[in-house]
Every structure is written in structure tokens, then in C-alpha cells.
Amino acid sequence: MTIVTIPTQPFAGQQPGTSGLRKKVVVFQQPHYLENFVQALFDSLEGAAGQTLVLGGDGRFHNRAAVQTILRMAAAKGFGRVLVGRGGILSTPAVSCVIRKHRAYGGIVLSASHNPGGPEGDFGIKYNVGNGGPAPEKVTEAVHARTKELRSYRISDAAAPDFDRPGTATIEQTAVEVIDPVADYAALMREVFDFDAIRGLFARGFRVRCDAMSAVGGPYAKAILEGELGAPAGTVVNAEPLPDFGDLHPDPNPVNAEDLIAHMAAADAPDFGCATDGDADRNMIVGRNFPVAPSDSLALLAAHATVVPRYAKGLAGIARSMPTSTAADRVAQALGIPCFETPTGWKFFGNLLDAGRATLCGEESYGTGSDHVREKDGLWAILFWLNILAVRGGSVESLVRAHWAQYGRNYYSRHDYEAVDSAAANALMAELRAQLPGLAGQRLNERRVALADDFAYTDPVDGSTASRQGVRVIFEDGSRIVYRLSGTGTEGATLRVYLEMYEADPARQDVPTQTALAPLITAAGALARIEQHTGRATPSVVT
Ligand code: G1P
Ligand code: ZN
């Protein structure tokens, strides 16, 4: 067994986006493509020799081949130990948990999150640092820079050890320890939540449907909900991770999880519906015929957090991404704690969590989390809701309506225009940006603009900055339109338009969301000339 140096040429475009490097599977299957990126990553890590690396993925197509390659390259890099999930399986929050618990140097997650899988689908790789969270931009930028100059990579010529059975093997000088993907994560959930209370809920006949969408959340949900908390067998559906996700699009929103929505609208609907995404960091919560908006979910979890043992003493602060609705801000204000507004992407929460300035964080894109790990966490959010329901009683709908009655309702929707021509999308954004200086004071469809800018962020902990994070138009009544281009898509460009309107009066909180937002939707289309630029009269996905 020797470590060999393989000559290679740089690939263009190995630039990590909002969450790691995501490309079509066929792109990753090109000889040297994955190896180049991993070598560029390893070259950017100082002092990793002898340390521990965590490795696992969401089980999608190409996961196993990538695990084998990375094990052989980790041996060449001289890691002391690699903790790999059995079968190459680890959810994103589990990787974060395992990195923290075992004080690993970092971890690699093989996932394209909620993007479709299978041979024609997407693959992805992301790197998490020692705090368990996504690599900050200074790391991802260094990796990208290195990919452009790489001329060779180093790999062991030995076969990767078997990773389907627990145990430890050695490749070169590196120990490869195959771990149970669920055990450390389940232990953490036991510490965070009141499992006895949730057991009581199930014992009283509370019915849950948890749709793992044939992705990696299945084993976790089954072990914890059915195995530990007493939910009846069959509570978790689509529980086995499949390489093509059984042709499901594992993105838990009402459009892609339509089967769950249909079950929750049926006459004999369960009390509580939930779903997780490809790598189990996202969650959707649905009551009986009542989908919960993710921004509302974050606000509601914050408002009831003290029922959960880990948060019993209260929250230090809340953080939300800029396009996420301001519902959480109202809770923070009532609690007398700060609410931080960050750019889109979980990596921006890391410093706030590490510094103890934020306890809960969330995004409108079905992501919620806390300082228990450094990733968003789908099953954690589901358990949080169950813990609240177990202690407070009532239904999902009654809790949300009570929340709106107390804090007001932030009507909210995101309109996505997927796979539009990149040049057209860039032109649309450029034209919007050019209009910004003159917008304040103007009326757009009856509302007067109070502020219009391109969101820029200065991290309050380390002073690092991020600019051009989305165009926001804020009206005098607090309503908002936000425009940004996706950083995770793999086809053309995706324009996201985020719409928000506040309604304090409970008598007016029951209007269908798209109706309530209609004037803002019209204004958003007209201001950005969406149809003229993209050729699309309507969005492809509305959540
Ligand atoms: C999307 C979401 C963002 C989330 C990211 C990773 O990124 O909008 O909130 O953090 O996926 O799950 P985008 O495609 O908008 O760049
Ligand atoms: Zn995900």
C-alpha cells in the first residue's frame, strides 16, 4: 500500500455556493473531478495530520463511490482517524453532532440537500469545520482558489475498507472507524428534549405522520419516534434512504411533499404531519389541513422555548436570514432579547451561536436550528414541536392562531423562477440594483417605499463582511419584497422573490396567503420586470 500522486488539470467552476459544491452527478463522475475538489480542500486545512475527520452522506446516488475515494485521500492526507457513518450514511445535523462530540478537526457531508438524486440528479460535497458548522467563506474561497491551480492529488492505492459493518480498519496510517449513524445524534436529542413528555403524548393516542421522503432522515426518525418515544410502527413513512429517493423530490414544502399535504387534508388526518429533506436538515410542519410557514415555526418555537429542558432558562437571542419573515423579531422584542438578521445560508449563524449571542436560528426555506449543533436540524424541529404540544396541549393550528393573535401574523410567501437563463437573471438583478438609489419615497402599487438596498452584512462577532446578499424593498408599513438569485441551483439561474406583509388584526388573519399578498406580488413583478426578463408569467414554485 503506497500513497500515489496522480497528475490532474484544474476544472473550472469548482466554487462552493450557498451550501457546498453542487453539480449534476455526471459532472462529479468525470475522472479526477471529486478528487481535485477534495485535494483542494485538504490543501486548505492546516494542522489536520493526525486529527479526526467525520465522513458521511445522505445516501444518494454516487455517495458510496465518493466515500471510498475520500477515505483513500484522507489516508494520503494523514488524518489520524476517520469516523464514517455505517453504509456511508450520516445526516447533515448528525455530522455536526459527531464532529462536536468527538472533537473532530472537521467533517465532509456528501449531499445536494433537497435537490433530486439518482444518476440524472445532483450530487454535492460540503465541508464543516471543528465547531460542527459549514465552512465559513474564507475557507470556501481558499478551496476554490486552490482548485484553479491544482496539478496533482494524493491518494492511497489501497482499496477503501468496508464501511457497511461497525468496527475499525486501517488504511495507510489512518484508522477508519465505522460508527452507528444514529447513536450520537439520538443521545443528543435525549438531552435536549423532554422525552417523557413526548412519550406521554404518544401514549394518549396522538397520531403523527413523518415523511422522510426516502432520504436520510428515515433511520433517525424511525429510531427516535418509533424506537424511543413509542410512536406506533408506520408513523415514519418513506423511511428507507434510496439512491434516487424513490423519484421523490426530497424537499419538504407543500409542493414537493404533496402526498403529506394530502394526508393531512383527509378526513381522518393524523394530528401532526412532518417531513424532512434529502440530508434531513430541513423540516416542514403541518397540522390538520394547516401547513405552518417556516418563518412562523421559528417564531413559535422561540415563544415556547422554555418548555424544552435545554432552553428552560431562556434564549440568548434569535437569528434569522434576511429574507425570512420578521415574525421572530416580534417574539425577540417581547422577550427582550436580540434578533440578528444574517445573509441567506447557515454558515452565517455559526459565529453568533459560538459566541452565545443566538440560541435559535432559522430560515424561511424550511430550516430551523439551535446551538445544540451548528447546522439546521429537521428532526430536532419536529421534536421541538412535539415537546411543545405535549406540554401546552392543543393542536398545531390552535397554537399558530394563538401566536398570531398575540404577535400579529406575517403573511409570507416565496416565489421561485427556476432554471431561467442566467444572463437574463443577471440582467434583471443589475437593473434592480440600478434602480435602488431612487426608490425610497416612491409609491409601488399603493405602498410607499421606506428603504431599498442591496443587503450587506457585517458579522458582529468577527467583523467579516458579505455584500450583495439580496435586493430588499421595505415599505413604510413594514411589508417587504426581497429578490435574490439562488446559490444552490445546478441549472441556469433561479430567481427567488420573497414577499411579506404584517397583519395585526385577528379578524383579518385568515385570508389565503396569495390573496393577502396579491398587491405586493403585482408590485414585485412590475418593479423587476420579471416577465420581460425571464419570459415567465408565473413562478415555477410557490411556497
Ligand atoms: C437555499 C435556501 C437557503 C438555504 C440553502 C441551503 O439557498 O434559500 O435558505 O440555506 O438553500 O439549504 P439558495 O438556493 O436560495 O441560495
Ligand atoms: Zn438539506
Side-chain angles (χ1 to χ4, degrees):
M1 299 199 300
T2 45
I3 292 163
V4 291
T5 300
I6 310 282
T8 187
Q9 291 295 322
F11 287 91
Q14 289 198 322
Q15 182 169 24
T18 312
S19 184
L21 181 71
R22 273 186 212 177
K23 302 282 173 194
K24 293 276 171 213
V25 164
V26 288
V27 174
F28 270 102
Q29 283 172 325
Q30 298 172 85
H32 311 314
Y33 190 90
L34 175 69
E35 289 86 342
N36 273 24
F37 187 77
V38 172
Q39 187 64 55
L41 167 65
F42 285 172
D43 287 351
S44 316
L45 308 180
E46 272 168 34
Q51 305 274 338
T52 299
L53 178 74
V54 178
L55 175 62
D58 63 13
R60 67 176 60 224
F61 189 84
H62 207 54
N63 191 86
R64 295 182 65 88
V67 167
Q68 288 169 345
T69 300
I70 295 169
L71 286 175
R72 293 167 57 212
M73 291 186 70
K77 170 71 180 172
F79 276 102
R81 179 169 75 139
V82 182
L83 300 178
V84 60
R86 190 178 60 237
I89 292 287
L90 279 173
S91 74
T92 288
V95 167
S96 190
C97 162
V98 173
I99 291 173
R100 293 169 70 76
K101 180 161 179 174
H102 298 274
R103 301 204 158 72
Y105 184 89
I108 291 177
V109 190
L110 301 168
S111 173
S113 185
H114 52 286
N115 294 20
E120 328 264 84
D122 292 346
F123 191 73
I125 173 167
K126 48 186 183 166
Y127 178 68
N128 283 22
V129 293
N131 74 350
E137 291 206 311
K138 63 176 191 301
V139 176
T140 54
E141 277 160 16
V143 175
H144 180 221
R146 182 73 187 129
T147 64
K148 294 191 213 168
E149 57 188 32
L150 202 77
R151 288 287 182 273
S152 65
Y153 62 85
R154 283 158 48 79
I155 188 164
S156 166
D157 67 357
D162 169 26
F163 50 88
D164 284 321
R165 267 173 292 278
T168 304
T170 307
I171 173 167
E172 308 295 345
Q173 306 296 311
T174 304
V176 175
E177 212 174 298
V178 179
I179 59 168
D180 176 341
V182 179
D184 288 333
Y185 179 82
L188 178 60
M189 292 302 108
R190 244 175 260 135
E191 279 169 30
V192 172
F193 295 108
D194 185 345
F195 268 28
D196 283 338
I198 305 176
R199 268 187 211 107
L201 190 67
F202 284 117
R204 294 195 291 278
F206 189 85
R207 285 164 60 221
V208 171
R209 182 179 177 91
C210 177
D211 192 337
M213 304 193 83
S214 300
V216 82
Y220 297 87
K222 250 188 138 41
I224 295 173
L225 296 178
E226 297 182 15
E228 293 207 28
L229 294 170
T235 295
V236 185
V237 298
N238 298 317
E240 195 194 333
L242 301 175
D244 62 354
F245 305 127
D247 272 342
L248 295 173
H249 185 166
D251 191 2
N253 61 45
V255 178
N256 293 313
E258 56 180 357
D259 181 62
L260 177 67
I261 296 291
H263 273 92
M264 296 308 296
D268 62 343
D271 300 290
F272 183 89
C274 53
T276 49
D277 75 327
D279 58 338
D281 59 352
R282 293 187 177 201
N283 74 91
M284 176 173 70
I285 304 296
V286 194
R288 281 207 177 119
N289 211 3
F290 194 85
V292 180
S295 298
D296 282 346
S297 179
L298 172 65
L300 193 140
L301 298 186
H304 294 276
T306 52
V307 308
V308 172
R310 182 179 173 101
Y311 316 111
K313 295 207 179 82
L315 307 173
I318 307 173
R320 63 160 175 86
S321 66
M322 180 273 284
T324 302
S325 97
T326 53
D329 304 42
R330 296 175 190 280
V331 177
Q333 200 183 13
L335 295 174
I337 57 174
C339 186
F340 299 91
E341 185 176 42
T342 60
T344 295
W346 212 260
K347 60 189 165 212
F348 294 103
F349 293 135
N351 280 345
L352 294 168
L353 295 169
D354 281 350
R357 295 177 68 169
T359 312
L360 293 194
C361 35
E363 296 192 274
E364 51 66 41
S365 52
Y366 296 84
T368 338
S370 90
D371 59 1
H372 69 293
V373 289
R374 293 293 181 273
E375 285 280 5
K376 55 189 177 244
D377 189 344
L379 189 52
W380 166 90
I382 291 164
L383 293 167
F384 203 140
W385 268 90
L386 293 175
N387 199 151
I388 293 172
L389 285 159
V391 175
R392 297 268 195 251
S395 66
V396 171
E397 178 169 352
S398 69
L399 278 177
V400 173
R401 289 200 184 277
H403 188 92
W404 291 342
Q406 184 174 352
Y407 297 97
R409 175 175 183 185
N410 291 77
Y411 282 103
Y412 188 84
S413 182
R414 184 175 105 182
H415 290 196
D416 292 334
Y417 298 78
E418 293 178 322
V420 301
D421 178 67
S422 292
N426 288 329
L428 180 153
M429 291 302 291
E431 192 180 288
L432 261 180
R433 289 192 167 105
Q435 295 186 69
L436 288 173
L439 272 183
Q442 277 193 36
R443 273 184 184 281
L444 296 180
N445 207 8
E446 299 305 307
R447 286 189 164 85
R448 195 194 298 273
V449 178
L451 180 145
D453 68 359
D454 195 347
F455 182 62
Y457 179 64
T458 302
D459 185 302
V461 179
D462 68 9
S464 58
T465 55
S467 56
R468 294 165 70 90
Q469 295 296 316
V471 167
R472 51 179 192 172
V473 179
I474 306 179
F475 296 90
E476 282 175 346
D477 67 353
S479 300
R480 297 193 307 163
I481 303 171
V482 175
Y483 305 84
R484 56 180 286 282
L485 298 184
S486 158
T488 59
T490 55
E491 260 179 63
T494 293
L495 169 68
R496 304 203 194 284
V497 183
Y498 308 80
L499 306 136
E500 176 182 0
M501 184 194 84
Y502 180 66
E503 178 55 71
D505 181 358
R508 290 201 300 258
Q509 290 174 350
D510 209 13
V511 179
T513 302
Q514 301 305 315
T515 311
L517 294 173
L520 278 176
I521 294 169
T522 305
L527 178 65
R529 300 197 312 125
I530 295 176
E531 187 171 356
Q532 289 88 329
H533 280 289
T534 66
R536 308 279 179 83
T538 50
S540 33
V541 181
V542 172
T543 52

